[in-house]
Amino acid sequence: MAVFKHLVVVKFKEGVAVQDVLKGMEKLVSEVDAVKSFEWGQDIESHEMLRQGFTHAFLMTFDKKEDYTAFTSHPSHIEFSATFVAAIDKIVVLDFPSVVAKSPA
Amino acid sequence: MAVFKHLVVVKFKEGVAVQDVLKGMEKLVSEVDAVKSFEWGQDIESHEMLRQGFTHAFLMTFDKKEDYTAFTSHPSHIEFSATFVAAIDKIVVLDFPSVVAKSPA
């Protein structure tokens, strides 16, 4: 069965201590068992025309959609979300069953 | 060493045959060895306020940044990009070394 992905792409507000936000996010995912894996990155290569001002991507993986739904209503997530929303200038979120079209050999 | 990720988030133009675009993308990644893995998804869950009109996410993984650079200049990529750009209404692209903060158990 397809795993479920929660993708968050953001531009942080100027002056935000991004490292602190990242620490909070790592704490969050460590506290919630439903989050199977978590990876993130800061763009270093895209053209500004394509990046559209966004700088960071966060990608969480869940075994199934129901685990993601449970995560969104977890008290730790609700608490963190308030902090996170205050730190961001722009956001795009996509939640989707992942289709693996090419796997590592 | 961190793998390198190429993330593309788009909204397709109305009337575009998304299945055809997906087939083209799957053909592309199958042709280029530098693409280690490829997964994608169509949002089914995010709130419109957070989705911002975007509908699809595409995520390619490379062993290293140099492999991604080679991919961008590959003739198959250049050819596909022209088709892809014609099909999209909005796009955000982020290219980043992936930081794995939580791994599957």
Side-chain angles (χ1 to χ4, degrees):
Chain A
M1 210 181 72
V3 298
F4 198 82
K5 302 270 181 177
H6 175 48
L7 171 68
V8 179
V9 175
V10 302
K11 176 191 179 186
F12 287 105
K13 286 179 185 162
E14 278 191 43
V16 161
V18 175
Q19 286 303 320
D20 291 347
V21 178
L22 287 170
K23 273 183 205 161
M25 197 178 290
E26 291 186 3
K27 181 168 175 286
L28 168 64
V29 300
S30 72
E31 282 171 2
V32 184
D33 288 342
V35 183
K36 190 181 173 189
S37 65
F38 169 53
E39 61 182 316
W40 66 274
Q42 178 171 6
D43 178 86
I44 60 165
E45 191 76 3
S46 185
H47 298 276
E48 184 51 41
M49 194 185 72
L50 294 172
R51 189 165 44 205
Q52 306 272 343
F54 291 95
T55 56
H56 291 72
F58 304 97
L59 186 66
M60 295 181 192
T61 303
F62 301 82
D63 280 332
K64 53 187 187 297
K65 186 181 150 187
E66 290 72 20
D67 288 357
Y68 168 67
T69 308
F71 168 68
T72 59
S73 58
H74 191 288
S76 296
H77 180 262
I78 293 167
E79 187 184 336
F80 177 78
S81 292
T83 312
F84 191 68
V85 164
I88 57 173
D89 184 16
K90 300 205 294 180
I91 188 167
V92 172
V93 178
L94 293 182
D95 302 313
F96 54 89
S98 174
V99 181
V100 176
K102 186 174 185 177
S103 294
Chain B
M1 209 182 72
V3 299
F4 198 82
K5 300 270 181 177
H6 175 48
L7 171 68
V8 179
V9 175
V10 302
K11 176 190 180 187
F12 287 106
K13 286 179 185 162
E14 277 191 44
V16 162
V18 175
Q19 285 303 322
D20 292 347
V21 177
L22 287 170
K23 273 183 204 161
M25 197 178 290
E26 291 187 2
K27 181 168 176 285
L28 168 65
V29 300
S30 73
E31 283 171 2
V32 184
D33 288 342
V35 182
K36 189 182 172 190
S37 66
F38 169 54
E39 61 182 317
W40 66 274
Q42 179 172 5
D43 179 85
I44 60 165
E45 191 76 2
S46 185
H47 298 275
E48 184 52 40
M49 195 185 72
L50 295 172
R51 188 165 45 205
Q52 306 272 344
F54 291 95
T55 55
H56 290 73
F58 304 97
L59 186 65
M60 295 181 192
T61 304
F62 302 82
D63 281 332
K64 54 188 186 296
K65 186 181 149 187
E66 290 72 20
D67 288 357
Y68 168 66
T69 308
F71 169 68
T72 59
S73 58
H74 191 287
S76 296
H77 180 261
I78 293 168
E79 187 184 337
F80 177 78
S81 292
T83 312
F84 191 69
V85 165
I88 57 173
D89 183 16
K90 300 205 293 181
I91 188 167
V92 172
V93 178
L94 293 182
D95 302 312
F96 54 89
S98 174
V99 181
V100 177
K102 185 174 185 177
S103 295

